[in-house]
Amino acid sequence: MEDYLSSPLAGAYGLTHSDLSRMVATGRLQRITRGGFYAGTDPQALAVRARAVGVATSPDVIACRRTAAWLWGLDVLPPGKGQTQWPVEVVVLSRARTPPRRPGVVAYQTDRLSPYDVTTLGGVALTTQERTALDCARWLPRLEAVAALDQFLARGVSRAGLVACAAELGGRRNARRLREVVDLGDGGAQSPPESWVRVLVTDAGLPRPRSQIRLVLPNERVAYLDMGVERYRVGIEYDGGEHHTSAEDTAHDEWRRAQIRRLGWTLVIVRKDELFGSPATFLERVAERLWDGGWRPSPEESVRLQRQLRLLGSPEARHRRYAA
């Protein structure tokens, strides 16, 4: 028997309404919608709730945006949000009945969803990877949009296809945001924070870093920089602390970075508290290291950098730019 049961599916297994009620009473099943039951251990999982919404409403109700990206296996929820806290986002075709208002469901309507944009995964109707990438790039806040797009590009979603779709949306809502996000995308990013760092550096008018730069160390081992500007031999690495907690990990990081510096690279290490609390501090260090490496900004680039540092120094302005 499957973890999720709708009333029709339960009937196919030979279960009557009395059987279902008895199984709910004994704890073998949990009732999660009027006609939906769950036999697993996590009824609040986003995939479970998404399937329940689709089964309980209409085949024209399709998981989209962050919900669809999460179902595709990508890390796209806002920082600090778990899947049990995130609502099920669905798109409803204009010809369909809007699903009943209920807690934990956010519905959008559209008349521009092609049948080719819809597929099924794990029993849930959802937008395809390509359409989900497009929607995330268009509707999510700037930093999170690029982080989502990077993950889709890493999975093989075509940038050329997204560029073509972005061109077709010229003049429509968030079309400019979509074009900018697609241009900023880089499938080499290994985590959302790395994507955020790269966007902040680029937005400041500094030379755009390239992700995952391959370096051959003096002992013939290979190392990869999170990102860097090869022309000026400045590397940028995000250190969130999640995978660097043991003394062995710390020692390995220090050894690896010492070997990279022996190759003539300067490294800027970005800490989690800087990225999420005071990004201007690490951008100043990046600018200083680039200057030391020979970078000379034009007057326009200097003005852009100063403007960005002021913006990032204001929590309100930073929120308007990157979280709205």
Side-chain angles (χ1 to χ4, degrees):
M1 187 172 68
E2 297 184 26
D3 283 349
Y4 178 81
L5 282 176
S6 61
S7 295
L9 184 59
Y13 283 116
L15 298 173
T16 65
H17 288 295
S18 297
D19 293 330
L20 293 173
S21 297
R22 186 164 48 254
M23 294 172 76
V24 170
T26 58
R28 292 182 59 192
L29 287 179
Q30 299 180 63
R31 191 188 302 272
I32 57 175
T33 63
R34 183 177 180 181
F37 305 86
Y38 181 64
T41 58
D42 191 2
Q44 292 305 309
L46 194 51
V48 174
R49 292 185 288 120
R51 187 172 185 191
V53 168
V55 170
T57 52
S58 161
D60 289 323
V61 175
I62 299 143
C64 66
R65 301 194 188 184
R66 292 189 205 255
T67 298
W70 179 267
L71 297 177
W72 283 116
L74 305 187
D75 180 8
V76 294
L77 300 186
K81 288 285 187 180
Q83 63 162 321
T84 61
Q85 303 168 292
W86 194 252
V88 177
E89 297 163 294
V90 295
V91 60
V92 182
L93 301 182
S94 295
R95 66 176 181 275
R97 178 176 62 89
T98 302
R101 294 182 180 273
R102 63 178 68 182
V105 178
V106 175
Y108 310 96
Q109 279 198 302
T110 183
D111 58 356
R112 295 178 178 270
L113 190 65
S114 162
Y116 299 105
D117 289 332
V118 181
T119 188
T120 303
L121 182 68
V124 179
L126 76 169
T127 49
T128 63
Q129 292 193 67
E130 291 75 12
R131 177 58 191 249
T132 307
L134 185 72
D135 288 344
C136 287
R138 186 179 176 194
W139 298 109
L140 269 56
R142 184 178 181 84
L143 295 178
E144 297 173 56
V146 176
L149 181 65
D150 284 355
Q151 295 177 69
F152 278 112
L153 292 173
R155 291 172 67 110
V157 170
S158 167
R159 181 194 298 272
L162 295 176
V163 168
C165 290
E168 293 176 1
L169 290 171
R172 298 183 63 196
R173 185 178 176 188
N174 285 356
R176 178 180 176 182
R177 173 187 291 187
L178 172 59
R179 292 193 300 271
E180 291 178 351
V181 168
V182 171
D183 180 65
L184 286 167
D186 184 334
Q190 298 294 294
S191 68
E194 289 183 23
S195 301
W196 288 34
V197 169
R198 191 186 72 252
V199 173
L200 290 170
V201 170
T202 305
D203 281 354
L206 301 174
R208 179 171 174 169
R210 185 169 70 85
S211 295
Q212 296 301 304
I213 297 175
R214 185 179 186 272
L215 300 175
V216 179
L217 303 180
N219 61 0
E220 301 303 319
R221 291 189 181 182
V222 174
Y224 290 87
L225 283 171
D226 288 351
M227 68 196 81
V229 182
E230 293 166 285
R231 179 178 179 181
Y232 304 108
R233 300 182 79 77
V234 174
I236 307 169
E237 299 218 306
Y238 175 73
D239 189 352
E242 294 87 348
H243 306 293
H244 307 271
T245 55
S246 71
E248 183 179 353
D249 288 339
T250 301
H252 179 268
D253 283 345
E254 292 176 351
W255 173 87
R256 171 181 166 276
R257 287 168 180 168
Q259 298 300 306
I260 292 173
R261 290 185 178 101
R262 286 181 60 188
L263 296 176
W265 283 78
T266 299
L267 296 180
V268 177
I269 311 302
V270 180
R271 301 188 306 272
K272 182 177 181 179
D273 62 321
E274 290 181 306
L275 176 60
F276 291 95
S278 55
T281 58
F282 81 78
L283 285 177
E284 289 176 335
R285 294 203 308 277
V286 173
E288 290 169 358
R289 300 293 83 79
L290 287 166
W291 178 274
D292 293 341
W295 173 65
R296 296 296 181 264
S298 67
E300 293 78 12
E301 289 170 332
S302 295
V303 169
R304 182 176 174 184
L305 173 59
Q306 294 305 315
R307 184 184 298 122
Q308 180 73 350
L309 293 176
R310 287 195 299 271
L311 180 149
L312 293 176
S314 165
E316 294 80 10
R318 189 166 71 233
H319 182 274
R320 287 195 299 271
R321 171 62 166 160
Y322 290 112

